[in-house]
Amino acid sequence: MVNEECRLDLAHQNLEYVPKSLIKNYQDVVQIIDLSNNQIRDVSFLEGCIQLTSIIVDHNELNSDVVFPRLPQVKLLWMNYNWLTKLYPFVERLAYSFPYLEHLSLMGNVIVPPLNEDTFYHYLQYRLFVISRLQRLLYLDDRAVTEDEKEEALRLYRRPQEFGEKFSFTGMVITAFSKVRQIVDPVAMGYRQDSQRPRLI
């Protein structure tokens, strides 16, 4: 079932859950797991996959409360077209589970604003917050993470606990959003009226 690329393909199997007994047979060798196009809502079965570097769970039923096992070796996570509706604390948990994550795609979820003229600032706010929490990201969705984005993300979304402040996610977002509106030009950031975001899958 695991091919020469150490890839375990369980896509399009109508799975609601993957038995740990199945994963146990491959957890020491599998590096890429494809679980796309199922009905999975829980991913605790991934615990113990010590060689895993890439997780593809597009088109499932994972919501914002999902908790991934801590897998520091994972570099790529695709969660396109799931049931993600709340950015916080979902992204905080991702940062704990995947501290070295480099490629993250969440397209097709409610938490990702569409990229158009009316929602541009909300889209930018989403990108900067995710980048601030996953500081090793190279790609977010279909766009490379720039050094300017990293710098601005850390400036706008500093962690209040580092400064002895009371944490308020809503307050942090409002403050950052007002700053973004003052300093960012959609055209300068690469937005075009006729641009379209390609699908990864």
Side-chain angles (χ1 to χ4, degrees), residues 9-181:
D9 191 347
L10 296 173
H12 299 275
Q13 299 297 315
N14 294 317
L15 296 173
E16 295 182 2
Y17 187 79
V18 178
K20 289 186 177 180
S21 58
L22 173 62
I23 293 295
K24 188 175 181 180
N25 293 331
Y26 305 104
Q27 65 182 11
D28 293 335
V29 295
V30 64
Q31 297 180 15
I32 303 170
I33 188 166
D34 186 351
L35 298 160
S36 56
N37 295 92
N38 286 293
Q39 292 88 46
I40 292 172
R41 299 185 181 185
D42 179 83
V43 290
S44 59
F45 56 84
L46 293 174
E47 187 173 8
C49 294
I50 58 175
Q51 301 297 329
L52 199 60
T53 61
S54 300
I55 302 172
I56 303 170
V57 285
D58 297 339
H59 295 278
N60 274 280
E61 298 178 4
L62 297 169
N63 64 31
S64 299
D65 295 323
V66 65
V67 177
F68 284 87
R70 185 168 172 82
L71 298 168
Q73 69 279 10
V74 169
K75 300 292 183 66
L76 180 147
L77 174 64
W78 284 0
M79 294 185 68
N80 303 299
Y81 299 95
N82 275 272
W83 294 358
L84 305 178
T85 58
K86 297 179 181 179
L87 194 59
Y88 181 86
F90 167 71
V91 173
E92 297 280 2
R93 290 196 295 266
L94 282 190
Y96 175 79
S97 298
F98 309 119
Y100 298 101
L101 196 65
E102 296 179 351
H103 299 262
L104 174 64
S105 189
L106 304 173
M107 294 189 297
N109 287 286
V110 173
I111 61 173
V112 183
L115 179 54
N116 57 52
E117 189 173 10
D118 294 333
T119 62
F120 174 78
Y121 292 107
H122 293 285
Y123 173 75
L124 180 60
Q125 177 182 317
Y126 149 77
R127 278 188 67 85
L128 293 181
F129 179 70
V130 174
I131 292 168
S132 75
R133 294 308 185 252
L134 295 161
Q135 297 180 19
R136 294 178 181 267
L137 277 186
L138 301 177
Y139 277 85
L140 175 57
D141 300 327
D142 58 345
R143 295 171 181 263
V145 174
T146 67
E147 290 301 319
D148 286 343
E149 283 181 311
K150 289 182 180 180
E151 182 179 341
E152 195 62 22
L154 294 178
R155 187 180 74 83
L156 293 177
Y157 292 105
R158 61 177 182 164
R159 294 180 180 272
Q161 54 268 38
E162 295 176 359
F163 299 88
E165 302 169 4
K166 184 178 180 180
F167 178 75
S168 169
F169 178 71
T170 302
M172 179 180 65
V173 168
I174 292 173
T175 300
F177 182 68
S178 63
K179 291 179 181 178
V180 167
R181 289 185 64 90

